[in-house]
Amino acid sequence: MIIFKKIKHYSINNINFKKFDGLLYIVIPCLLEQRIISNTIDNFVKAIEESKIKAQLLIVTTNKEKKLIDSDDTTYEVVKKKLATSSKYKNVKLLNYPAYSGMMAHQLNFALQAIIKNNKNVDKKSYFAVYNADSNITKQTLINMCKLCQTKSFPLIMQEYAAFFKNLKSLSPLMKGFAIFQTNFEFTNGFTNGFTNGILFSKFLRNHVVGHGLFIRLDYLQKIRGFTTDYWCEDIYLSFFLRSHDVKIYPIFAVEYGESPKNLKILMKQNATWFKTLFENGKIYSDLVKKHIDRTSAFSYLINQYRGAFAWLFLPTLYLAIIFYLFLLGNWQLGIIFLFSYIATTTIRYWLSNRIVELLSHNTMQSKLYLAFLASFAYLISNIGPLYSLLNPKRKKYKTER
């Protein structure tokens, strides 16, 4: 209830913020994004214009794309042609990471180097924001970001969490359930815990940053030397790093809309990529303790991360096993009670997440209860990604298909 009241307080109609006197760099790394990048650029340009803040949009492509396709119609060429069509793109800059290998973190660091090169005196009011090529924001994101800068004196880290509803209507019932499941994770472990930590800091809450919707103060990002390239998921490492230094993550009271995987195969490979880095938290901890960190915070976060990893890996199977075991024993009454209790509690949890998204986006969400119900069933097989990760330890990092 407190969160719901706070969200209403941040309603865009009630916001009165001073002019944002910093500079915002919005960085979108791209790999094989020819299909969607044009609309994404238009979306961000519109949000920047309507919010009236000083911002620059940087699209970062990579030569790695040339190894993956036979055509010259790369994302770089698509963006280059688009930017030449109108003067409204004057604040959009196209960068191309020259290497034929590397990950998203390499592209982000390449953009950071370009920004620092052109701005040798970095102040404490400029931010480096990261979004995906399928991200969709509104002026509300940028206005509420400015409001947060005012009230929290330009914090080191701000995060806008995502609802994966952009392609919801085109998904099957099962994949709609997974879209709700992933959105719930963002807002339960991210937004809610971040909100709580902003009021009463706790070393034991498992809040995290995500590699989209992430706002890092530019001077701080320069100080920590950018993003790690030692792990597949730079955001999982960064979350651990921030917790080990007791850096608060402030949630932005807005919603980014992104796409959800369109089939189980894509989702399985995507989740396997996340799980690999999540399961390497012991190695991350070992790396961090070599530095000057708060070991209590780091260790408590390590335990929390492993708890989350094992819950993701084993709990869905455990629930299924209990349900089947009770029915196989012929204990129909207890089986029905357990199944009903599971569906009721999980549906309520997912419905609450949907309600938070609805309030943050100022849009009425249709069929919230039905979608939450679908997520309850999707959860029962939500460990296919972790299982695939463990069974295929030598696989390469997967680029999510859109």
Side-chain angles (χ1 to χ4, degrees), residues 49-267:
E49 288 178 349
E50 291 180 347
S51 64
K52 296 181 173 59
I53 72 167
K54 190 177 180 181
Q56 185 177 73
L57 179 63
L58 290 86
I59 309 299
V60 189
T61 58
T62 170
N63 275 346
K64 183 178 180 179
E65 209 169 282
K66 295 179 181 179
K67 292 175 58 178
L68 302 176
I69 61 174
D70 296 328
S71 171
D72 291 331
D73 192 24
T74 61
T75 307
Y76 177 84
E77 292 299 329
V78 170
V79 175
K80 183 180 178 182
K81 292 176 183 177
K82 181 176 182 63
L83 299 188
T85 62
S86 173
S87 60
K88 72 177 182 178
Y89 302 122
K90 62 181 182 297
N91 290 324
V92 182
K93 186 174 182 179
L94 175 60
L95 300 175
N96 186 60
Y97 179 59
Y100 288 83
S101 60
M103 302 181 293
M104 174 177 164
H106 290 94
Q107 292 170 261
L108 294 176
N109 289 336
F110 181 70
L112 176 62
Q113 291 169 8
I115 292 170
I116 298 301
K117 183 178 179 180
N118 294 323
N119 300 272
K120 297 189 182 299
N121 297 317
V122 175
D123 60 30
K124 295 184 177 181
K125 294 183 178 181
S126 295
Y127 283 87
F128 185 105
V130 184
Y131 278 95
N132 284 342
D134 67 327
S135 296
N136 195 307
I137 68 168
T138 66
K139 67 176 182 180
Q140 180 187 347
T141 297
L142 303 180
I143 289 174
N144 284 359
M145 182 274 295
C146 295
K147 179 72 174 179
L148 199 54
C149 286
Q150 271 184 233
T151 58
K152 301 300 180 182
S153 301
F154 294 89
L156 298 179
I157 305 290
M158 297 179 287
Q159 177 74 56
E160 180 184 34
Y161 293 97
F164 300 95
F165 299 163
K166 192 173 178 181
N167 60 337
L168 192 64
K169 292 181 179 180
S170 65
L171 299 176
S172 68
L174 177 61
M175 298 315 296
K176 285 179 180 177
F178 275 114
I180 302 301
F181 167 75
Q182 182 58 35
T183 299
N184 173 77
F185 178 82
E186 291 260 329
F187 284 92
T188 300
N189 290 285
F191 182 88
T192 305
N193 285 346
F195 168 76
T196 305
N197 261 0
I199 299 173
L200 181 64
F201 186 70
S202 171
K203 296 178 184 293
F204 304 105
L205 286 178
R206 191 183 167 221
N207 62 329
H208 66 285
V209 295
V210 189
H212 49 87
L214 172 62
F215 290 70
I216 306 181
R217 212 171 71 190
L218 190 57
D219 65 313
Y220 183 67
L221 185 58
Q222 184 181 18
K223 178 182 177 181
I224 65 175
R225 299 181 180 180
F227 299 89
T228 182
T229 56
D230 295 330
Y231 299 91
W232 280 4
C233 299
E234 72 290 333
D235 49 355
I236 292 177
Y237 176 89
L238 181 58
S239 297
F240 208 142
F241 179 90
L242 295 173
R243 171 58 77 196
S244 68
H245 288 81
D246 285 338
V247 175
K248 291 183 180 181
I249 303 167
Y250 290 94
I252 296 173
F253 282 67
V255 178
E256 171 210 347
Y257 280 96
E259 292 186 357
S260 186
K262 55 189 176 183
N263 59 54
L264 273 178
K265 182 180 178 181
I266 295 174
L267 179 132

Side-chain angles (χ1 to χ4, degrees), residues 249-382:
I249 303 167
Y250 290 94
I252 296 173
F253 282 67
V255 178
E256 171 210 347
Y257 280 96
E259 292 186 357
S260 186
K262 55 189 176 183
N263 59 54
L264 273 178
K265 182 180 178 181
I266 295 174
L267 179 132
M268 178 180 68
K269 291 182 177 180
Q270 180 193 69
N271 286 191
T273 296
W274 298 340
F275 186 80
K276 180 181 183 296
T277 304
L278 181 62
F279 214 64
E280 290 177 332
N281 270 277
K283 183 180 177 183
I284 296 175
Y285 176 78
S286 298
D287 289 345
L288 289 174
V289 293
K290 298 173 184 176
K291 306 172 184 178
H292 298 291
I293 64 169
D294 184 331
R295 294 199 176 197
T296 302
S297 295
F299 186 72
S300 66
Y301 193 74
L302 174 66
I303 298 302
N304 236 334
Q305 287 291 81
Y306 272 137
R307 177 194 60 80
F310 281 102
W312 190 8
L313 180 61
F314 293 115
L315 271 184
T317 301
L318 178 62
Y319 283 131
L320 277 175
I322 292 173
I323 293 169
F324 281 114
Y325 181 71
L326 290 173
F327 284 117
L328 285 174
L329 283 180
N331 196 336
W332 291 87
Q333 185 176 5
L334 189 58
I336 291 172
I337 291 174
F338 181 85
L339 182 60
F340 177 79
S341 299
Y342 164 79
I343 293 174
T345 54
T346 52
T347 298
I348 291 171
R349 183 171 77 240
Y350 295 134
W351 182 89
L352 288 171
S353 293
N354 292 344
R355 179 59 179 153
I356 291 174
V357 172
E358 190 175 55
L359 289 173
L360 287 171
S361 65
H362 305 285
N363 291 318
T364 301
M365 186 176 174
Q366 301 298 322
S367 307
K368 290 192 296 294
L369 187 61
Y370 170 66
L371 291 170
F373 178 74
L374 293 178
S376 296
F377 287 94
Y379 173 78
L380 293 174
I381 58 169
S382 62

